[in-house]
Amino acid sequence: MEKQWEQLEKMQPTAMKLIKQALIKNRIAHAYLFEGMKGTGKREIGLMFAKALFCENIIEDHKPCNDCFQCKRINNGNHPDIHIIEPDGASIKKEQIYNLQQEFAKKSVESGRKFYMIIAADKMTTSAANSLLKFLEEPNSETTAVLITEQIQKILPTIYSRCQHISFQPIPKEELVTLLIDKGIKQERAPLLANVMNRV
């Protein structure tokens, strides 16, 4: 079941508040760095943010409707102006960033807006990170980047300084228990598993 805005707010109230304010005030930074431990909802919130930027029927100036053509394409992972980069093997390579830059040099397919998300940004090779840095130094007002990391100390200081940081906290135990039960974990096992996951 897809996590809706309210569920994500319960999981990460501070992160969601920052995103909500940016959307309502229309003050979207060109690059965000989502940092926090594994399993704290960084990717899901990144995709929710993308939907809020592209949605055709935005609710209360910040919530995506989840039902329009744009939202459905993002949910299905086939939106032409949204690109997600993940490590190819052990690292994110220069070619991957080069291909991203080539994509972004083309005109946006539809709205003029483009969005990219780099998962495990700390796994970029030095040459990939330097290529991305050039990209971040010449931001396009219609382009939004989200870099995701569990190891903030491995992000190049020059990249770190060009992003707005959003820290993700361990999920509150009661929220984690609910999520686990939603995913099919037995009710009596969920609290024990939640304790273990919040220590990982």
Side-chain angles (χ1 to χ4, degrees), residues 42-51 54 73-88 92 95-97 99-101 103-104 114-121 132 135 144-148:
K42 298 182 294 296
R43 186 186 188 121
E44 292 97 326
I45 288 175
L47 286 170
M48 185 65 79
F49 188 25
K51 281 192 283 191
F54 284 85
R73 286 202 296 182
I74 294 169
N75 286 340
N76 293 329
N78 59 8
H79 196 293
D81 292 322
I82 291 180
H83 302 272
I84 297 175
I85 291 183
E86 302 195 53
D88 176 12
I92 293 172
E95 298 77 31
Q96 289 175 273
I97 302 298
N99 291 338
L100 179 76
Q101 287 166 320
E103 271 302 319
F104 277 66
K114 284 183 175 264
F115 181 96
Y116 66 95
M117 190 155 64
I118 300 180
I119 312 286
L132 180 69
F135 210 24
T144 307
V146 170
L147 280 59
I148 289 179

Side-chain angles (χ1 to χ4, degrees), residues 26-32 49-50 52-54 79-83 103-116 135 138-146:
N26 198 24
R27 286 194 191 145
I28 312 296
H30 69 279
Y32 292 85
F49 188 25
L53 292 171
F54 284 85
H79 196 293
D81 292 322
I82 291 180
H83 302 272
E103 271 302 319
F104 277 66
K106 299 174 194 165
K107 192 157 171 50
S108 158
V109 176
E110 282 155 27
S111 65
R113 181 173 282 287
K114 284 183 175 264
F115 181 96
Y116 66 95
F135 210 24
E138 300 161 12
N140 175 327
S141 62
E142 293 296 302
T143 295
T144 307
V146 170

Side-chain angles (χ1 to χ4, degrees), residues 6-162:
E6 288 76 13
Q7 279 180 293
L8 293 172
E9 275 184 324
K10 285 180 188 168
M11 279 170 54
Q12 292 295 341
T14 307
M16 290 298 282
K17 185 179 178 185
L18 289 168
I19 289 169
K20 176 181 174 178
Q21 286 172 339
L23 290 164
I24 288 173
K25 292 176 181 171
N26 198 24
R27 286 194 191 145
I28 312 296
H30 69 279
Y32 292 85
L33 183 59
F34 287 7
E35 60 101 1
M37 54 194 253
K38 192 178 178 73
T40 47
K42 298 182 294 296
R43 186 186 188 121
E44 292 97 326
I45 288 175
L47 286 170
M48 185 65 79
F49 188 25
K51 281 192 283 191
L53 292 171
F54 284 85
C55 178
E56 295 165 356
N57 305 311
I58 204 85
I59 300 160
E60 296 171 24
D61 293 331
H62 67 284
K63 289 183 201 170
C65 71
N66 255 326
D67 211 34
C68 69
F69 184 50
Q70 306 292 355
C71 284
K72 283 180 175 169
R73 286 202 296 182
I74 294 169
N75 286 340
N76 293 329
N78 59 8
H79 196 293
D81 292 322
I82 291 180
H83 302 272
I84 297 175
I85 291 183
E86 302 195 53
D88 176 12
S91 62
I92 293 172
K93 298 172 177 61
K94 186 180 179 182
E95 298 77 31
Q96 289 175 273
I97 302 298
Y98 174 76
N99 291 338
L100 179 76
Q101 287 166 320
Q102 293 302 106
E103 271 302 319
F104 277 66
K106 299 174 194 165
K107 192 157 171 50
S108 158
V109 176
E110 282 155 27
S111 65
R113 181 173 282 287
K114 284 183 175 264
F115 181 96
Y116 66 95
M117 190 155 64
I118 300 180
I119 312 286
D122 49 274
K123 293 199 164 114
M124 281 187 283
T125 61
T126 305
S127 55
N130 285 329
S131 292
L132 180 69
L133 187 59
K134 287 184 192 138
F135 210 24
L136 292 174
E137 282 170 342
E138 300 161 12
N140 175 327
S141 62
E142 293 296 302
T143 295
T144 307
V146 170
L147 280 59
I148 289 179
T149 182
E150 291 164 31
Q151 301 191 61
I152 193 87
Q153 73 282 2
K154 291 189 176 176
I155 298 289
L156 274 184
T158 41
I159 288 178
Y160 181 94
S161 67
R162 283 172 173 78

